[in-house]
Amino acid sequence: MPGAAVSPLGDCRRAAPHDVCAENYISQGASRRAGPARAAGGKGGIRARARAVVGRGGRGSAGAGRAAEAAAAAAAAGWVGMEPGEGPGALDLHGDEEIIEVVELGPPGPDDLAEEMEDVDFEDEGAEEPDGEAWESEDDEGVEDGMEAQDDSEVTFSLHSDSVFCVSLDPKTNTLAVTGGEDDKAFVWRVSDGELLFECSGHKDSVTCAGFSHDSVFVATGDMSGLIKVWRVDAKEEVWSFEVGDLEWMEWHPQAHVLLAGTADGNTWMWKIPSGDCKTFQGPACPATCGRILPDGKRAVVGYEDGTMRIWDLKQGTSLHVLKGQDGHQDPLTCVASNQDGSLIMTGSVDCHAKLINSATGKVVCVFKMESVTPKAPISEGEEVESNSVESLGFCNVMPLAAVGYLDGTLAIYDLSTQSLRHKCQHESGIVQLLWEESSAVVYTCSLDGAVRLWDARSGKMISEYRGHSAEILDFTVNKDASIVVTTSGDHQAKVFCVQRPDR
């Protein structure tokens, strides 16, 4: 945006933008939960389900949710049950006066490998480099009809023309971001000012996976149809591409130029980049819904739609452990995570359970279950009863704690030493993802109400809250020193937030 004033990220002025208890409002995210979160049924994870629904061309109806919000607002204002002429702005009629027509003037409502593997040389294939940049300063946004919306972000990247599904920072410098969206596009851009470096062109479906290699040399992008492309960042050139079945997840190896991906046919694929040497790990005849390479770089854990989980030996191509039946989950897996040394694995599922597993033995250590709650009744005849599920989870690096985020908005902090619930932190709407700071007991969450929140896991108290999106947040990431958060949203934008705090 020529002429726009940019607020440099080096000047992180905000500590906590405001007291989170001081703001009350109705969010778009709450009404969207009935659409993308539920409409894809058993497909694990709210982000995966949102991609399935939104990426295929429909967001689901949010009308009932908005109607419920309006009804709640009316009830809160004391308007329900009033007779005509009793509500706010009532008119007293005199003589032969009568009401001919009522015109509503209110604003419209809101519309969701391992060490054994050697590095290899690669050959470049030319790729056209697009020009341009798409960034805005916070001062140029949020103004509509004379009303300025709250925006705590420092930089907004707005080159996407539809929902933005994924984001990743380059691990080496944390200065570059890659985002992918429903517009079948992926972009690599600079975090400090939002300047576009290049477009990862050629995708034919919604780009739902994107990430940099461990050394930031390559960036990979994958779309829903299964087309995966890898680009050399410094040359801005495509060096490899491959097409698989419908893509569920994708992840780079933590120490090598090796890429893993899980697909809807149950396979997990592994390639050396850019040579393309390939190996497959055949799972059950159902989607491989989530996966994670363990820190040793020799094993990967993969979860499946049938509730099973497998730990794979990446070099031998064999299954080391299989959890199924009572040891597995009763519904599709939505997410997996490991602790810092890879000795423990945690799996989350639509069955609302989180299982702690010893990665060496494949045995379940314990099961964390949410207390059963009465599901909310459907608002209208055509709407389903809201359900709950585990959407994201992770381990703390500095304390024996784990966090689990649920669709009903609950953040549960579990003490691993006692295998007990330590804190429950409630959100106004469903949690999409959570991430721990690398060197502290602070956990970040993003949710359907469009906010990023920081929580002190020791006390269970919220530290701060950041807003700026006008729709649900679909993905986010945190840089190494935990000073920057980059988010993506259904509002077609990616935003950069400075979250430095006075206590560090």
Side-chain angles (χ1 to χ4, degrees):
M1 182 179 295
V6 178
S7 176
L9 290 176
D11 177 22
C12 291
R13 301 180 303 280
R14 295 186 180 87
H18 49 79
D19 182 350
V20 296
C21 297
E23 306 241 358
N24 293 300
Y25 49 85
I26 298 174
S27 68
Q28 292 188 44
S31 66
R32 291 179 187 267
R33 193 194 303 178
R38 233 185 351 215
K43 193 160 187 175
I46 193 168
R47 285 179 293 158
R49 284 176 272 168
R51 294 164 186 163
V53 177
V54 179
R56 295 301 186 188
R59 301 191 72 94
S61 174
R66 293 194 300 273
E69 292 174 353
W79 302 346
V80 176
M82 286 185 176
E83 294 297 326
E86 293 179 359
L91 295 176
D92 293 325
L93 303 181
H94 303 280
D96 58 354
E97 293 177 342
E98 60 178 337
I99 297 175
I100 304 300
E101 182 181 5
V102 176
V103 180
E104 295 184 3
L105 299 178
D111 280 348
D112 292 299
L113 239 209
E115 297 172 356
E116 293 85 358
M117 292 196 170
E118 58 185 2
D119 289 342
V120 294
D121 295 328
F122 48 84
E123 298 177 2
D124 293 346
E125 298 176 8
E128 184 179 352
E129 174 187 349
D131 297 324
E133 59 185 50
W135 50 268
E136 301 175 2
S137 73
E138 55 187 331
D139 298 329
D140 295 317
E141 302 169 29
V143 179
E144 183 177 350
D145 296 332
M147 298 295 291
E148 184 172 356
Q150 175 188 334
D151 190 353
D152 304 314
S153 67
E154 300 288 341
V155 174
T156 296
F157 181 80
S158 55
L159 197 55
H160 286 281
S161 60
D162 221 318
S163 296
V164 191
F165 290 136
C166 54
V167 62
S168 179
L169 287 173
D170 81 282
K172 188 174 183 180
T173 68
N174 281 188
T175 61
L176 302 179
V178 58
T179 51
E182 189 186 358
D183 53 6
D184 306 350
K185 296 182 181 296
F187 300 104
V188 176
W189 48 280
R190 200 162 58 198
V191 172
S192 61
D193 56 8
E195 181 181 354
L196 176 67
L197 267 66
F198 63 95
E199 178 182 349
C200 304
S201 58
H203 283 287
K204 54 186 181 182
D205 206 338
S206 298
V207 179
T208 56
C209 301
F212 292 89
S213 60
H214 69 287
D215 54 5
S216 302
V217 170
F218 300 112
V219 62
T221 56
D223 65 35
M224 289 185 71
S225 71
L227 178 60
I228 299 173
K229 291 177 172 286
V230 176
W231 310 74
R232 186 173 176 90
V233 176
D234 58 1
K236 306 176 184 179
E237 291 179 347
E238 181 181 332
V239 297
W240 178 86
S241 67
F242 197 85
E243 195 159 2
V244 294
D246 288 356
L247 186 64
E248 296 283 332
W249 58 271
M250 183 181 74
E251 181 173 278
W252 280 99
H253 190 279
Q255 301 128 14
H257 292 152
V258 172
L259 191 64
L260 260 70
T263 56
D265 57 11
N267 288 330
T268 298
W269 298 73
M270 181 173 69
W271 303 274
K272 277 187 176 182
I273 302 299
S275 69
D277 295 345
C278 180
K279 184 180 290 186
T280 58
F281 308 86
Q282 188 171 358
C286 65
T289 54
C290 53
R292 177 64 54 91
I293 303 173
L294 296 182
D296 61 10
K298 301 177 182 180
R299 300 169 296 165
V301 54
V302 180
Y304 299 90
E305 191 176 72
D306 64 357
T308 61
M309 185 273 286
R310 287 165 167 76
I311 300 177
W312 294 96
D313 183 312
L314 295 179
K315 188 175 183 180
Q316 301 299 326
T318 56
S319 175
L320 299 173
H321 303 288
V322 179
L323 273 72
K324 57 184 179 180
Q326 292 303 313
D327 288 333
H329 288 274
Q330 303 307 303
D331 287 304
L333 271 75
T334 58
C335 47
V336 295
S338 75
N339 64 348
Q340 199 167 22
D341 64 7
S343 61
L344 292 173
I345 295 168
M346 186 175 285
T347 60
S349 169
V350 174
D351 65 12
C352 221
H353 293 173
K355 297 199 172 191
L356 189 66
I357 301 158
N358 183 313
S359 68
T361 65
K363 300 298 183 182
V364 176
V365 177
C366 69
V367 181
F368 298 118
K369 304 178 182 179
M370 277 295 293
E371 298 176 5
S372 59
V373 296
T374 303
K376 295 179 181 179
I379 296 169
S380 62
E381 184 177 347
E383 190 174 357
E384 302 174 8
V385 175
E386 286 191 3
S387 59
N388 198 10
S389 62
V390 175
E391 296 297 329
S392 185
L393 38 70
F395 292 86
C396 177
N397 289 338
V398 299
M399 294 181 68
L401 302 174
V404 181
Y406 296 86
L407 180 58
D408 70 352
T410 301
L411 171 65
I413 309 295
Y414 293 101
D415 189 320
L416 299 180
S417 57
T418 62
Q419 300 179 9
S420 62
L421 178 66
R422 183 162 176 165
H423 301 293
K424 284 178 67 174
C425 312
Q426 202 62 41
H427 295 62
E428 296 178 2
S429 60
I431 295 173
V432 177
Q433 189 185 7
L434 65 82
L435 293 170
W436 286 90
E437 280 192 7
E438 287 192 9
S439 57
S440 74
V442 174
V443 61
Y444 295 61
T445 60
C446 68
S447 55
L448 291 172
D449 62 4
V452 175
R453 296 177 175 89
L454 282 64
W455 304 83
D456 186 335
R458 298 164 299 183
S459 65
K461 302 297 184 182
M462 188 186 299
I463 300 171
S464 55
E465 176 184 90
Y466 298 86
R467 291 186 176 271
H469 287 292
S470 60
E472 67 275 13
I473 295 178
L474 297 173
D475 196 13
F476 83 111
T477 187
V478 182
N479 69 342
K480 287 181 289 189
D481 65 4
S483 63
I484 297 298
V485 171
V486 186
T487 58
T488 64
S489 171
D491 65 6
H492 310 176
Q493 294 180 335
K495 287 181 175 287
V496 182
F497 296 86
C498 173
V499 293
Q500 285 186 339
R501 304 196 306 268
D503 60 337
R504 61 184 183 190

